[in-house]
Amino acid sequence: MSKTLATHPHTASRLALSELAPGAMQSEIRAMSVECDRIGGINLAQGVCDTPVPMQVESAAIAAIVAGHNIYTRQDGIGRLRKAIAEKQQREYRLNYDPETEVMVASGATAGLHAAAMALLNPGDEVLLFEPFYGYHVTTLRSMRVKPVLVALAEPDWVLDIDALREAITPRTRAIIVNTPANPSGKIFNRAELEAIADVAREHDFFVFTDEIYEYFVYDGAEHICMATLDGMRERTIVMSGFSKTFSVTGWRLGYVTADAKWMGAMGYFHDLTYVCAPSALQHGAAAGLEQLPPEFYKQLAADHQSKRERIVSALRDAGMEPSVPAGAYYVLAKASRLPGETSAQKARHLLAKTGVASVAGSAFFRPGRGEDLLRFCFAKRDADLDEACVRLRRL
């Protein structure tokens, strides 16, 4: 008798989801964005950054399409953009990177992290992250069967507890992820904190992955410090940043990584394997931005968003939702204890139904059981939309 699918003893187990899939779910950020779109609300949930694109960036991308720059580039990006990134790192941080071997244009900073983790980490390794965390950092590691180990920052000002960091180290620890300025807290790690983290990394021979996508969104005279500038850290630091936030082009998926040449070859291989290359014509737009925009652009960017921060902070206070005022990035975590609901996800959905303003449940940025009394609001919005959201929040 011939064997059929119905009688084959292994059929049921072979037609199954992967071990990772049952625990995977749509992020709370995207879920709230979908619900906001459904009701036609104002989306302060997702960091879409829908402020205007600089003219130099936009026009250069359009010109590149017309000029025929629509085919594959090198997996690590066009030479013009790699050179502009290297010059930017030298100009801003006095870091010297060879644009031929130490700069990679990625399909977003998220792709940069993915490529770095694939190249430098193994299944079963552990990576230390600070809590509150950005969910994509955690889920990217988990997707590679790398274990994220959370180290809580001390509330209410999200201060580094270096003893807690040291206590989280195990023989399997391989790296630390530092997001500064941070999503969702807006924390900027100061020099003393970064030096303490660097001491741990050098002592235990760890990599440090730094997500610096919000490097220009700093307020009240605060300073962004790149970890790779500290003594002995350039070789072990993988710097990730991009153009999504700075140039308001989140949909372009353009980021970059700068790192020592000994690591970049493997990272480039995995970026090629997953993404092939970043969007070709759009790379020319980003290059034009780096080449042409003056220092005043970045100062004005910070000033504009500090003004937006003041407006949303004031509205949240008037609504009885005490905010944690961020030092950087463009998000605010606010207390939601006055809103009905046992979980922050329920509170966020109540707020959306009541006001038409979408936020994100604080639990999306903490381990289970934490963050249930917090909501996150994004204020990188056009002024008219942000002001209308503030009016609606004050109605509470």
Side-chain angles (χ1 to χ4, degrees):
M1 181 183 295
S2 63
K3 293 181 179 179
T4 66
L5 285 177
T7 60
H8 196 289
H10 300 297
T11 299
S13 62
R14 286 177 176 167
L15 296 180
L17 295 171
S18 73
E19 294 174 358
L20 294 171
M25 63 184 71
Q26 184 182 44
S27 76
E28 184 67 13
I29 297 171
R30 295 200 179 278
M32 286 302 296
S33 292
V34 170
E35 183 63 15
C36 182
D37 288 345
R38 187 185 69 81
I39 70 166
I42 300 175
N43 189 357
L44 303 191
Q46 190 173 3
V48 294
C49 196
D50 59 2
T51 49
V53 179
M55 178 188 65
Q56 296 91 330
V57 175
E58 186 177 83
S59 60
I62 294 170
I65 293 173
V66 174
H69 295 289
N70 302 306
I71 60 174
Y72 297 137
T73 72
R74 273 177 43 163
Q75 57 81 15
D76 56 356
I78 62 173
R80 177 189 178 190
L81 182 52
R82 285 183 283 108
K83 179 175 181 288
I85 292 167
E87 291 174 348
K88 175 259 182 193
Q89 295 295 72
Q90 168 62 32
R91 182 172 62 249
E92 298 285 353
Y93 308 118
R94 300 294 185 265
L95 287 167
N96 293 312
Y97 290 105
D98 184 342
E100 283 298 310
T101 60
E102 297 183 316
V103 178
M104 180 179 74
V105 180
S107 294
T110 302
L113 173 60
H114 184 274
M118 288 291 289
L120 304 176
L121 302 174
N122 296 310
D125 285 348
E126 295 180 1
V127 174
L128 307 179
L129 301 93
F130 298 103
E131 183 186 35
F133 54 80
Y134 175 50
Y136 276 45
H137 294 160
V138 169
T139 53
T140 295
L141 295 176
R142 286 177 177 159
S143 74
M144 299 173 190
R145 295 173 170 82
V146 173
K147 180 181 178 183
V149 177
L150 302 179
V151 178
L153 298 172
E155 298 185 55
D157 298 321
W158 314 114
V159 176
L160 171 67
D161 182 343
I162 193 62
D163 292 331
L165 178 66
R166 289 185 174 277
E167 289 170 4
I169 296 170
T170 77
R172 289 187 172 275
T173 307
R174 289 283 312 285
I176 305 169
I177 291 181
V178 179
N179 179 202
T180 183
N183 175 8
S185 65
K187 175 183 175 57
I188 296 176
F189 284 79
N190 62 36
R191 185 172 294 276
E193 291 175 320
L194 292 176
E195 290 282 10
I197 296 169
D199 286 342
V200 171
R202 289 189 295 258
E203 177 185 342
H204 294 275
D205 203 23
F206 294 157
F207 283 110
V208 178
F209 300 151
T210 64
D211 182 343
E212 304 181 25
I213 194 75
Y214 300 101
E215 60 191 312
Y216 293 113
F217 295 84
V218 292
Y219 313 124
D220 302 318
E223 179 189 14
H224 168 68
I225 299 168
C226 179
M227 175 71 83
T229 63
L230 304 185
D231 288 344
M233 292 304 295
R234 183 193 182 282
E235 179 186 18
R236 67 180 68 252
T237 301
I238 313 302
V239 180
M240 301 169 292
S241 191
F243 310 104
S244 293
K245 319 300 182 181
T246 306
F247 296 158
S248 302
V249 289
T250 53
W252 285 18
R253 308 313 306 136
L254 277 178
Y256 62 85
V257 179
T258 56
D260 193 276
K262 65 171 64 73
W263 317 124
M264 190 60 79
M267 284 190 278
Y269 169 82
F270 286 108
H271 185 263
D272 178 32
L273 183 66
T274 309
Y275 300 97
V276 181
C277 65
S280 176
L282 305 184
Q283 293 186 49
H284 291 268
L290 289 180
E291 294 163 353
Q292 298 174 24
L293 289 168
E296 290 72 27
F297 167 81
Y298 301 96
K299 293 177 182 177
Q300 191 62 49
L301 183 73
D304 289 345
H305 283 79
Q306 182 166 332
S307 172
K308 294 175 190 291
R309 180 194 69 169
E310 298 310 312
R311 281 133 69 191
I312 188 68
V313 162
S314 174
L316 289 167
R317 284 177 174 152
D318 289 346
M321 302 171 65
E322 186 58 33
S324 173
V325 181
Y330 51 55
Y331 306 98
V332 178
L333 285 172
K335 292 287 187 181
S337 54
R338 65 161 299 190
L339 298 179
E342 295 185 3
T343 68
S344 55
Q346 292 171 350
K347 294 174 186 291
R349 283 159 178 77
H350 170 83
L351 183 68
L352 178 60
K354 186 78 172 177
T355 66
V357 175
S359 59
V360 181
S363 57
F365 311 103
F366 293 85
R367 71 194 76 188
R370 298 195 65 203
E372 297 293 3
D373 195 34
L374 294 171
L375 296 179
R376 190 200 75 173
F377 297 83
C378 171
F379 55 85
K381 306 293 294 183
R382 296 179 186 270
D383 285 337
D385 292 334
L386 180 63
D387 291 341
E388 174 60 23
C390 290
V391 167
R392 295 184 185 191
L393 288 171
R394 284 191 169 95
R395 290 174 186 158
L396 286 173

